[in-house]
């Protein structure tokens, strides 16, 4: 009986460790090279945003309505100003920001309006280590349409 209790205690002790390991943020190299898991949903001169394919969910929507789409997004924030050694040494990324995101769209007549809600969950170095982010967090309203369209194309109904 003691062996069974010891095995159960060991299994319970390992569960948090496994959960923490799976919560580890991806590195910049991992996102660039794992096309099936990390999809580019937005790019600009200052950042590239990836969606974690395993987290994309589309909320149920009635016929004629557009669904809300949720996902974990990772924003690679590029160094500014960029230098030749940054390019030459593939050190272009300054930070990776992880967001819990919900993006939606509503149609008003012939116009569709997009809204994005981002909750910053963490800042990391390009190699996935926790970091203090000293930059400013922008709203993301300009990105909402492109992110919505990109996520809609790869999302599936979650019901």
């Amino acid at each position: 009986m003691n062996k069974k209790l010891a095995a159960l205690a060991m299994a319970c002790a390992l569960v948090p460790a496994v959960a923490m390991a799976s919560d580890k943020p991806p590195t910049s190299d991992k996102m660039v090279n794992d096309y099936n898991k990390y999809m580019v949903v937005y790019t600009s001169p200052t950042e590239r945003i990836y969606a974690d394919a395993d987290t994309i969910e589309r909320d149920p929507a009635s016929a004629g309505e557009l669904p809300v789409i949720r996902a974990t997004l990772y924003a690679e924030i590029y160094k500014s100003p960029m230098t030749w050694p940054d390019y030459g040494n593939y050190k272009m990324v300054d930070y990776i920001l992880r967001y819990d995101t919900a993006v939606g769209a509503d149609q008003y007549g012939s116009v569709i309006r997009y809204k994005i809600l981002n909750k910053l969950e963490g800042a990391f170095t390009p190699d996935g280590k926790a970091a203090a982010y000293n930059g400013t967090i922008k709203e993301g309203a300009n990105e909402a349409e492109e992110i919505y369209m990109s996520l809609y194309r790869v999302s599936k109904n979650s019901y």
Side-chain angles (χ1 to χ4, degrees):
M1 186 66 163
N2 287 338
K3 287 183 181 182
K4 288 183 183 178
L5 287 176
L8 180 61
M10 181 63 81
C12 290
L14 291 176
V15 170
V18 171
M20 287 182 357
S22 66
D23 191 39
K24 184 179 183 226
T27 65
S28 185
D29 288 341
K30 174 80 171 160
M31 289 189 294
V32 167
N33 293 313
D34 192 346
Y35 307 114
N36 292 324
K37 175 134 171 92
Y38 300 102
M39 297 174 226
V40 176
V41 294
Y42 180 81
T43 60
S44 77
T46 61
E47 67 184 342
R48 175 181 273 187
I49 300 177
Y50 299 85
D52 180 337
D54 295 338
T55 66
I56 300 171
E57 295 179 354
R58 185 192 302 185
D59 287 354
S62 300
E65 291 182 355
L66 296 168
V68 171
I69 303 170
R70 301 169 197 289
T72 298
L73 301 184
Y74 293 93
E76 286 184 326
I77 308 300
Y78 296 136
K79 290 182 179 179
S80 180
M82 192 77 70
T83 65
W84 179 88
D86 295 331
Y87 282 108
N89 296 315
Y90 295 96
K91 302 291 183 190
M92 299 165 25
V93 176
D94 209 7
Y95 291 97
I96 297 172
L97 304 179
R98 179 174 53 201
Y99 294 98
D100 180 27
T101 299
V103 63
D106 289 312
Q107 186 155 355
Y108 300 96
S110 63
V111 176
I112 297 177
R113 294 192 182 130
Y114 301 89
K115 177 75 174 168
I116 190 166
L117 299 172
N118 287 318
K119 178 184 172 195
L120 181 64
E121 292 185 328
F124 308 93
T125 61
D127 59 355
K129 295 181 181 141
Y133 181 61
N134 299 323
T136 57
I137 306 295
K138 60 182 185 160
E139 255 320 290
N142 296 335
E143 306 162 358
E145 181 177 357
E146 189 170 336
I147 290 173
Y148 186 86
M149 289 191 303
S150 295
L151 289 174
Y152 188 91
R153 288 187 48 91
V154 297
S155 67
K156 295 176 179 57
N157 293 332
S158 60
Y159 48 91

